[in-house]
Amino acid sequence: MKADLVVRDLDVLLTMDEARGEGPLGPIPNGAVAFRDETVVWLGPSQEAPEASRVVVAKGEVGLPGLVDAHTHAVWAGSRTDEWEARLRGAAYQDALAKGGGIHSTVTATRAAQPETLTELTTARLRHLAEARGTTTVEVKSGYGLDQATEVAMLKAAREAGIRAGVNVMTTFLGAHVVPKEYANRRDAYVTELVQVHLPAIVGLADFVDVFVDEGAFTVDEGRRILTAAKNLGFGLKIHAEQLTYTGAAQMAAELGAVSADHLEQIDEAGIEAMARHGTSAGLLPGAMLSLRLPSPPVAALREAGVSLFVATDLNPGSSTFYDLLTCASLACLTMGLTVEESLLGITSRAATALGRSDVGRLTVGGKADFVALRPAPGEPATPASILQHVGGTRLTSVVRGAAA
Ligand code: NIG
Ligand code: FE
């Protein structure tokens, strides 16, 4: 068997395949990986590597699956740099939202943009995530349209941008991000419209439906109504829960079978217990936590309960202007207390699980040819711990991408 490409002599290849039985990261010392037809066709020690048309020698480097960012809001127009600076001077995130800025200002700019502009902006962002940051699978949410035409345009832009940028995209409908201004005094009518008009219109365009349940956004009861309708239409469920205030949303979503509940800074015991019982993954978002100066989610309690943890950027123009998933993995260790193993699994296999994907986020024969190699900071060992410890010192040396889907 001749491969198209072999990457060999990696100091360690982290397959993230826990089933290999050599520890949670599934390491292969002095490892090699072979690709053909955009698929992984072989993995093992370098001395046994098959022949290939192209061979990359990656001595001194760490290999791992292409990174998986399972929570982003990568489609938007406009800029909120002024709001960011105002926050640095002491303004509160919720005040901007309450005064009609914040998310609302991105809604105004996104509604005003042409669909092709949204696609181009998103393509440029996804291309940057893949080429400069090694992220090859991205979940992208709508939620800056809040009217049917713009929400549909956002979901289409996300999918088309994935094709143009060569990134695997999963889409999530977040029409329940906030109540749009034109419905300010008729929020019940907006929820009804979401359920009766928006959700049926995005069947086939979105993989998941998400609701932001919090002060200034939606209530638990509204969230339940929307997610129940989404479940009945066959969508996977996600939720922004327990971020700014405790609401009980994580428990509600877990009981409905949500695949993940994200943020969780304010989650309580009952929420953790429900997530563990229903197999709901926890999305940890250190970029938003740090930007809004929130406390850490209770990682020790989530871990103890057996909840699967993943780490994502939450890339958006307001609360988390973070593009670099590896940096977020380092921050999850430093600010939330994740172990190196939890953090690296959290940006690969466990993030893939939170998207219902088994073909990405781990390196297995037959899986997608999504792969990155990292060179540790000068003088550092090529180990899992070193690549997270030296924030910004670790360099991306190669990215291999199978056909995006
Ligand atoms: O995930 N929490 C709600 N939504 C986004 C914020 C979006 C924004 O500020 O534009 C988040 O943090
Ligand atoms: Fe978010």
Side-chain angles (χ1 to χ4, degrees):
M1 173 201 61
K2 193 163 174 187
D4 298 334
L5 168 68
V6 164
V7 182
R8 57 171 295 151
D9 300 324
L10 290 149
D11 281 23
V12 61
L13 176 65
L14 305 175
T15 64
M16 307 299 173
D17 183 0
E18 295 173 70
R20 291 188 75 89
E22 294 131 359
L25 303 182
I28 304 177
N30 187 23
V33 52
F35 306 102
R36 193 175 60 197
D37 300 332
E38 296 171 342
T39 304
V40 175
V41 289
W42 179 89
L43 297 155
S46 290
Q47 57 275 18
E48 294 169 20
E51 284 191 15
S53 317
R54 195 159 79 87
V55 176
V56 172
V57 175
K59 200 156 177 44
E61 298 178 14
V62 178
L64 62 165
L67 307 183
V68 179
D69 194 344
H71 182 141
T72 83
H73 307 249
V75 187
W76 78 85
S79 165
R80 281 155 65 191
T81 301
D82 292 350
E83 179 192 322
W84 188 76
E85 279 198 278
R87 274 214 310 280
L88 298 181
R89 290 191 296 267
Y93 177 73
Q94 279 137 299
D95 288 353
L97 185 62
K99 286 183 192 141
I103 294 171
H104 293 294
S105 70
T106 302
V107 170
T108 303
T110 304
R111 285 179 178 177
Q114 294 298 321
E116 177 57 22
T117 305
L118 293 178
T119 304
E120 282 169 9
L121 285 167
T122 310
T123 303
R125 289 180 192 125
L126 295 186
R127 210 167 256 152
H128 176 69
L129 293 185
E131 289 171 3
R133 295 290 171 251
T135 303
T136 55
T137 300
V138 182
E139 182 258 16
V140 182
K141 300 177 198 293
S142 67
Y144 291 123
L146 313 183
D147 62 34
Q148 206 195 325
T150 315
E151 287 292 313
V152 165
M154 290 184 76
L155 294 169
K156 287 185 173 166
R159 290 223 170 141
E160 174 63 20
I163 292 165
R164 291 189 196 175
V167 167
N168 309 307
V169 163
M170 303 290 283
T171 51
T172 298
F173 175 71
L174 182 60
H177 199 182
V178 291
V179 175
K181 281 182 184 172
E182 62 275 18
Y183 281 88
N185 301 316
R186 301 179 291 137
R187 53 183 305 127
D188 211 48
Y190 185 60
V191 175
T192 301
E193 184 176 308
L194 283 171
V195 167
Q196 293 183 355
V197 183
H198 288 229
L199 288 181
I202 50 116
V203 171
L205 276 180
D207 302 297
F208 301 98
V209 170
D210 192 340
V211 179
F212 179 23
V213 173
D214 217 315
E215 192 180 283
F218 291 86
T219 65
V220 174
D221 286 341
E222 290 166 342
R224 186 183 291 108
R225 241 184 102 190
I226 296 159
L227 292 183
T228 303
K231 184 177 178 174
N232 291 338
L233 287 169
F235 292 104
L237 309 182
K238 289 184 162 281
I239 191 150
H240 283 69
E242 328 296 13
Q243 182 192 18
L244 307 169
T245 54
Y246 169 77
T247 63
Q251 181 174 350
M252 176 274 288
E255 285 168 358
L256 284 176
V259 64
S260 85
D262 303 3
H263 288 291
L264 306 179
E265 282 84 351
Q266 327 287 345
I267 194 170
D268 66 350
E269 265 308 314
I272 293 171
E273 196 272 322
M275 287 180 67
R277 186 152 32 90
H278 295 279
T280 302
S281 295
L284 305 175
L285 311 173
M289 178 190 115
L290 291 168
S291 300
L292 304 187
R293 300 186 194 184
L294 297 169
S296 171
V299 164
L302 287 161
R303 176 191 294 133
E304 201 152 306
V307 175
S308 176
L309 310 175
F310 72 91
V311 177
T313 61
D314 194 15
L315 172 62
N316 74 70
S319 67
S320 188
T321 40
F322 284 71
Y323 295 72
D324 188 346
L325 191 53
L326 199 62
T327 294
C328 289
S330 297
L331 292 175
C333 292
L334 290 168
T335 66
M336 296 178 169
L338 265 69
T339 65
V340 167
E341 287 78 15
E342 284 170 335
S343 216
L344 288 175
L345 292 171
I347 58 172
T348 54
S349 59
R350 292 190 184 161
T353 300
L355 296 176
R357 301 268 310 227
S358 56
D359 59 334
V360 298
R362 19 180 114 63
L363 293 168
T364 49
V365 170
K368 270 171 95 61
D370 287 352
F371 168 84
V372 293
L374 300 173
R375 178 167 287 281
E380 289 304 315
T383 61
S386 147
I387 61 174
L388 289 184
Q389 183 194 11
H390 290 265
V391 187
T394 302
R395 275 176 300 153
L396 185 65
T397 49
S398 43
V399 186
V400 176
R401 286 180 278 162

